[in-house]
């Protein structure tokens, strides 16, 4: 179906798309390569929302050479007018000969319509080339469009015996510099970094990206049901090297913010979230609200209690577990998921990747039985 050359050019398009890893939110990361007579005549990648899409940039560069050419694009060309015109129409007007897309766009405003528009214009259209890689690059965008909530990636640094802190809460530093820098790279990729009020009280973290270069800081989110955060907490301080901070506080039983919490909210950015019967934030509802804000990927760095709550609720899609070759003995574990009475109650993940980082090992794990796949999203080949 696809030639070696097709694979090579789509791989290049994916490389271009990755250039927008830190900047395109809430838009997807998209790259485009235009090829004529076996030669690349133009390339483009989407940089940030409101700026031209990858296809438009490549077409502008190609000029008349686009006529009859093959266009490789990592996501189905859009078919609706947003802040920019439809890319499908631009490709038709340029009279390209063939379009190969890595996967369909899950956005309900597109969802196959871009490919249909191209086919209706007589263009040879194919979809599904390197779809798994395209999905990996835009897993957060796909999650938000298909499930209404961000992709949740939880980062945990632990010892060989599974401890994330000593009994007194001491945890700096369990892993080495290489592992910590890698964790900051994942922070930089995310739209937001999420933690809990317990971690803010214990560690007073900044939760910004420091160890790797980045062109923007992700939003910082604190789950604080009763809005008890100290106004002097470092995560609330505005600075050039820190992002904005959002607090997720709980609504009362009457569906309204409690008076005392409402008074404490003055001057802060607060999202009010429904609570469960224990007065804790409804985490599933919170993620839906964050999805509505246009957040694609959430990077969780929290304590074992919030980790456990997210895992028990089935809201964690991916784990980044950094294992240090050391034993800490009695301390705080990775996540409080309660006492299980059967192995069948376990929360299962599949190992996606293992990587050595200095003396430490990083395990990347995906929740078993994922709800999304490139096969279901890439359309008919």
């Amino acid at each position: 179906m696809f030639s070696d050359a097709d694979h090579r050019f789509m791989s290049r398009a994916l490389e271009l798309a990755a250039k927008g890893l830190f900047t395109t939110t809430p838009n997807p990361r998209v790259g485009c390569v235009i090829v004529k007579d076996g030669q690349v005549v133009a390339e483009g990648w989407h940089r940030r929302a409101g700026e031209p899409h990858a296809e438009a940039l490549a077409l502008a560069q190609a000029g008349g050479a686009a006529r009859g050419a093959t266009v490789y694009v990592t996501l189905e060309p859009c078919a609706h007018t947003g802040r920019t015109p439809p890319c499908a129409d631009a490709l038709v007007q340029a009279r390209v000969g063939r379009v190969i897309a890595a996967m369909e766009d899950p956005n309900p405003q597109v969802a196959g319509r871009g490919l249909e528009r191209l086919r209706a214009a007589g263009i040879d259209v194919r979809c599904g080339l390197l779809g798994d890689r395209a999905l990996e690059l835009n897993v957060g965008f796909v999650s938000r469009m298909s499930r209404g909530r961000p992709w949740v990636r939880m980062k945990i640094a632990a010892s060989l015996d599974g401890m994330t802190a000593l009994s007194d809460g001491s945890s700096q530093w369990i892993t080495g510099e290489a592992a910590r820098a890698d964790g900051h790279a994942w922070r930089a990729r995310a739209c937001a970094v999420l933690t809990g009020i317990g971690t803010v009280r214990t560690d007073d973290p900044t939760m910004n990206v420091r160890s790797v270069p980045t062109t923007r800081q992700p939003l910082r989110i604190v789950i604080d049901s009763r809005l008890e955060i100290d106004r002097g907490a470092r995560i609330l301080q505005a600075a050039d090297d820190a992002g904005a901070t959002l607090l997720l506080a709980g609504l009362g039983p009457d569906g309204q913010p409690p008076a005392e919490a409402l008074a404490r909210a003055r001057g802060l950015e607060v999202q009010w979230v429904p609570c469960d019967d224990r007065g804790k934030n409804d985490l599933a509802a919170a993620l839906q609200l964050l999805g509505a804000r246009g957040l694609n990927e959430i990077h969780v760095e929290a304590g074992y209690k919030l980790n456990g709550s997210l895992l028990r609720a089935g809201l964690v899609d991916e784990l980044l577990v950094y294992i240090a070759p050391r034993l800490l003995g009695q301390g705080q574990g990775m996540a409080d998921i309660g006492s299980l009475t059967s192995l069948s109650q376990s929360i299962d993940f599949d190992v996606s990747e293992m990587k050595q980082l200095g003396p430490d090992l990083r395990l990347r794990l995906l929740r078993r039985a994922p709800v999304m796949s490139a096969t279901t999203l890439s359309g008919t080949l």
Side-chain angles (χ1 to χ4, degrees):
M1 181 64 184
F2 297 113
S3 68
D4 290 342
D6 289 334
H7 280 81
R8 184 170 69 254
F9 293 131
M10 184 61 80
S11 290
R12 175 56 183 165
L14 287 162
E15 290 175 4
L16 292 168
K19 290 178 178 289
L21 197 64
F22 303 159
T23 61
T24 63
T25 302
N27 287 356
R29 299 137 181 165
V30 182
C32 179
V33 174
I34 300 179
V35 176
K36 193 166 188 178
D37 299 327
Q39 300 297 316
V40 174
V41 296
E43 296 182 338
W45 57 278
H46 182 51
R47 289 167 171 78
R48 56 183 54 84
E51 295 190 8
H53 290 185
E55 302 96 313
L57 290 168
L59 286 171
Q61 185 184 119
R67 183 169 181 172
T70 297
V71 178
Y72 297 86
V73 61
T74 59
L75 189 68
E76 173 187 4
C78 62
H80 68 292
T81 300
R83 285 192 268 185
T84 58
C87 290
D89 289 352
L91 291 166
V92 171
Q93 291 164 8
R95 303 183 70 178
V96 303
R98 185 168 66 141
V99 173
I100 298 179
M103 62 180 287
E104 281 189 13
D105 188 338
N107 186 338
Q109 294 180 295
V110 186
R113 294 181 183 89
L115 301 180
E116 291 172 4
R117 192 170 298 183
L118 296 171
R119 290 189 178 106
I123 296 172
D124 179 8
V125 176
R126 303 178 191 183
C127 186
L129 176 60
L130 301 183
D132 287 339
R133 287 178 57 186
L135 175 61
E136 157 68 18
L137 195 61
N138 282 309
V139 67
F141 177 77
V142 174
S143 174
R144 183 166 65 87
M145 289 296 153
S146 61
R147 303 187 296 181
R149 70 167 181 83
W151 181 264
V152 176
R153 182 180 293 115
M154 179 179 287
K155 178 252 184 179
I156 298 173
S159 61
L160 282 175
D161 47 354
M163 297 297 107
T164 60
L166 301 180
S167 297
D168 64 1
S170 302
S171 61
Q172 297 182 352
W173 300 103
I174 291 176
T175 54
E177 291 185 8
R180 295 200 298 275
D182 187 74
H184 275 255
W186 285 99
R187 272 190 195 180
R189 167 178 172 151
C191 304
V193 179
L194 182 146
T195 193
I197 184 61
T199 297
V200 172
R201 285 172 173 161
T202 302
D203 298 337
D204 194 20
T206 58
M207 288 294 176
N208 60 340
V209 178
R210 300 183 300 279
S211 299
V212 297
T214 182
T215 56
R216 68 99 172 94
Q217 289 287 343
L219 176 69
R220 298 174 295 177
I221 302 173
V222 181
I223 293 184
D224 183 7
S225 298
R226 290 183 286 274
L227 211 58
E228 298 171 323
I229 194 167
D230 187 325
R231 287 295 183 117
R234 294 200 297 167
I235 202 167
L236 292 180
Q237 309 313 307
D240 292 340
D241 61 350
T245 303
L246 172 68
L247 304 177
L248 299 183
L251 294 170
D254 59 354
Q256 299 297 319
E260 64 276 12
L262 195 59
R264 290 194 291 265
R266 293 194 183 99
L268 301 172
E269 185 178 3
V270 179
Q271 174 76 66
W272 300 97
V273 181
C275 286
D276 59 23
D277 54 9
R278 299 173 301 143
K280 299 291 186 180
N281 280 8
D282 182 328
L283 296 174
L287 288 177
Q288 292 290 322
L289 290 169
L290 294 177
R293 287 178 66 102
L295 300 179
N296 293 331
E297 295 182 19
I298 301 293
H299 179 90
V300 177
E301 293 194 32
Y304 72 103
K305 290 183 179 179
L306 179 53
N307 284 353
S309 295
L310 287 164
L311 285 164
R312 289 196 308 273
L315 298 173
V316 179
D317 301 299
E318 181 178 347
L319 290 176
L320 294 173
V321 182
Y322 297 82
I323 304 294
R326 60 200 313 185
L327 299 170
L328 297 185
Q330 190 70 32
Q332 295 180 7
M334 296 185 188
D336 179 8
I337 61 171
S339 298
L340 306 185
T341 58
S342 168
L343 288 176
S344 64
Q345 299 172 331
S346 64
I347 303 171
D348 295 338
F349 287 79
D350 291 317
V351 177
S352 171
E353 179 188 19
M354 291 187 291
K355 186 175 183 179
Q356 184 90 28
L357 296 165
D360 306 314
L361 180 67
R362 185 194 73 198
L363 297 177
R364 190 174 173 204
L365 307 105
L366 300 176
R367 185 160 61 94
R368 190 161 293 173
V371 297
M372 302 184 305
S373 73
T375 302
T376 59
L377 294 168
S378 60
T380 303
L381 301 181

